[in-house]
Amino acid sequence: MTPLIRLDDLTVAYDRHPAVHHVSGAFAPGSLTAIAGPNGAGKSTLLKAIMGELRPAEGRVEHRLGRAEFGYLPQAAEIDRRFPISVIDTVMLGAWKSRGAFGRVAPADVKRAGEALAAVGLDGFGRRHVGSLSAGQFQRVLFARLLLQDAGVILLDEPFTAIDARTTRDLLDIVSRWHGEGRTVIAVLHDFELVRTHFPQTLLLARELVGWGPTGDVMSSANLMKARAMAERWDEDAEACSPAEAPAA
Ligand SMILES: Nc1ncnc2c1ncn2[C@@H]1O[C@H](COP(=O)(O)OP(=O)(O)OP(=O)(O)O)[C@@H](O)[C@H]1O
């Protein structure tokens, strides 16, 4: 099968210090993949590089997708909820693909936004200010926004962190539905049990690739120990990356 997204010797760096180092592999269309690895492994950086928010220092991210084909749920810590915006308007932001960034709001979009809120269990919350929601309710709002966006590739950065079991279950149902609809879903996750039970593919990252393939193979004790050992060796003040450091193919 032709890959949907291919990573070719991808290195992504901040101030020339690599956070993702020489990663190669491919996401198949319609695949459901967890990105796992220790803190600081480069997982969020990799998501941002996949959707083009960060440019590679070396190597490439290859695909034929436009920006609108990517739906993205950032880490909760990256979102400022003090911005004075209602729940329904936040969900409506997901409709920008169909109406353009400054386009008029169509009644059909309002209806779809209401349906998306109902689908995530927040019927009647539309007029609430996002700052007044609990963390779990706000995560549901962000999923409703993704439902409205209707993207072919969905990137989720720690979608279930600080979320209770019931909300996690409800949001996992939505992830399963997206997978069933043939969308490609890539999620950064810390809960290994959840990875093993719900994600058929795993990309295990410790700046460099530890493993990428069927979850049962990749999440072996040997690989998890290897990832931890690699993380313990990281030197935050290491020299900037040079092409000569690339591992042999
Ligand atoms: N904007 C930035 N500027 C400089 N360095 C950054 C920036 N963002 C991330 N980094 C560094 O890049 C490395 C990878 O960070 P990243 O957030 O991608 O890791 P992660 O695997 O998602 O971590 P976590 O599990 O803790 O969320 C870390 O050393 C981090 O400090």
Side-chain angles (χ1 to χ4, degrees), residues 14-15 17-20 37-46 48 54 75 78 157-158 188 190 205 207 234 236:
Y14 298 100
D15 299 326
H17 293 287
V20 170
N39 285 134
K43 304 179 296 294
S44 301
T45 302
L46 180 58
K48 289 174 182 168
L54 292 174
Q75 260 185 41
E78 293 191 19
D157 199 344
E158 299 191 21
V188 172
H190 279 287
L205 189 66
R207 296 198 182 164
W234 287 335
E236 297 297 335

Side-chain angles (χ1 to χ4, degrees), residues 10-156:
L10 178 70
T11 291
V12 189
Y14 298 100
D15 299 326
R16 298 192 58 231
H17 293 287
V20 170
H21 211 194
H22 302 300
V23 171
S24 293
F27 297 94
S31 52
L32 175 54
T33 307
I35 300 182
N39 285 134
K43 304 179 296 294
S44 301
T45 302
L46 180 58
L47 277 195
K48 289 174 182 168
I50 289 170
M51 65 179 188
E53 193 175 298
L54 292 174
R55 288 164 60 107
E58 284 179 49
R60 275 179 303 280
V61 178
E62 294 174 358
H63 58 72
R64 294 167 176 270
L65 303 162
R67 179 65 187 88
E69 275 307 307
F70 289 96
Y72 174 53
L73 183 134
Q75 260 185 41
E78 293 191 19
I79 302 174
D80 183 358
R81 286 208 276 143
R82 289 169 304 178
F83 193 71
I85 183 168
S86 68
V87 166
I88 194 79
D89 285 344
T90 303
V91 176
M92 298 277 291
L93 290 173
W96 67 271
K97 183 172 72 168
S98 54
R99 69 180 155 85
F102 302 104
R104 286 167 67 92
V105 173
D109 288 339
V110 181
K111 183 162 173 286
R112 285 177 58 226
E115 288 165 358
L117 274 178
V120 298
L122 288 182
D123 218 357
F125 277 69
R127 296 174 96 79
R128 288 268 296 267
H129 181 277
V130 288
S132 73
L133 300 179
S134 72
Q137 288 166 340
F138 185 59
Q139 202 70 333
R140 287 173 186 263
V141 169
L142 296 180
F143 267 70
R145 188 174 73 177
L146 285 172
L147 283 170
L148 205 68
Q149 190 180 339
D150 197 26
V153 182
I154 298 167
L155 308 174
L156 308 170

